[in-house]
Amino acid sequence: MTERAAYIALALTPGIGSARLQNLLAACGSSIGALTAPVAFLGTVPGISAAAASAIKERRIADGERVLAAAEKAGITVLTPSDAGFPAQLREIPEPPELLFALGRMELLERPAVSIVGSRDHTAYGAQVCAMIGGGAARAGLTVVSGMARGLDAVAHLAALDAGGGSIGVL
């Protein structure tokens, strides 16, 4: 749990994205190693600026523990790329998200999916087509994935749910 909390603390450090996080883990051997590394060493890691090294030195394992405790209290699952429940499709992209915060039907993350996104300021025709595609995809057994914006994102989610399927909202 300590390594997991350290990873979460690092992943939530401002300015530390996927590439920098991977460089840190490679150079330091672990998340705990990165959090405890001297600032001078952190500055030698590719992509880690003086500002990023300072931000890392301000992080504590307790920061990650607080996030995990708050997530657990809210019923939220925190997934890292090394977790079994992390979507396999996301592991295949060049820079997968460092963390996922998930609430709801976790099995939807493993199902075949289709993404539907569109305008917030759409036409009636656009809504009709989006509903037809979202509902059809859900009836075909696909999970509909979209943002959580008003407009066609919302239409896609509602169409999938109305068709008895599942949807994943991405913030």
Coordinates of all heavy atoms in Angstrom, one line a residue, residues 11 44 75 103 113 155 161:
A11 N 1.8 10.8 -9.2 CA 0.9 11.0 -10.4 C 0.1 12.2 -10.2 O -0.3 12.8 -11.3 CB 0.0 9.7 -10.5
T44 N 18.5 15.5 -12.6 CA 19.2 14.8 -13.7 C 18.3 13.8 -14.5 O 18.7 13.3 -15.5 CB 20.4 13.9 -13.1 OG1 19.9 12.9 -12.3 CG2 21.3 14.8 -12.3
G75 N -16.7 5.5 -2.3 CA -17.0 4.4 -3.1 C -16.3 4.4 -4.4 O -16.7 3.7 -5.4
L103 N -16.2 5.1 -10.7 CA -17.4 4.9 -9.9 C -18.5 4.2 -10.7 O -18.8 4.7 -11.8 CB -17.8 6.2 -9.3 CG -19.1 6.3 -8.4 CD1 -18.8 5.5 -7.1 CD2 -19.5 7.7 -8.1
A113 N -16.1 -1.3 -26.6 CA -16.7 0.1 -26.5 C -16.5 0.9 -27.8 O -15.7 0.6 -28.6 CB -16.0 0.8 -25.3
V155 N -26.5 13.2 -25.1 CA -27.4 12.4 -26.0 C -26.9 11.0 -26.2 O -27.7 10.0 -26.1 CB -27.6 13.1 -27.4 CG1 -28.3 12.2 -28.3 CG2 -28.3 14.5 -27.2
L161 N -28.2 4.2 -22.5 CA -29.0 3.7 -21.3 C -30.4 3.4 -21.7 O -30.9 2.4 -21.2 CB -28.9 4.8 -20.2 CG -27.5 5.1 -19.7 CD1 -27.5 6.2 -18.7 CD2 -26.9 3.8 -19.0

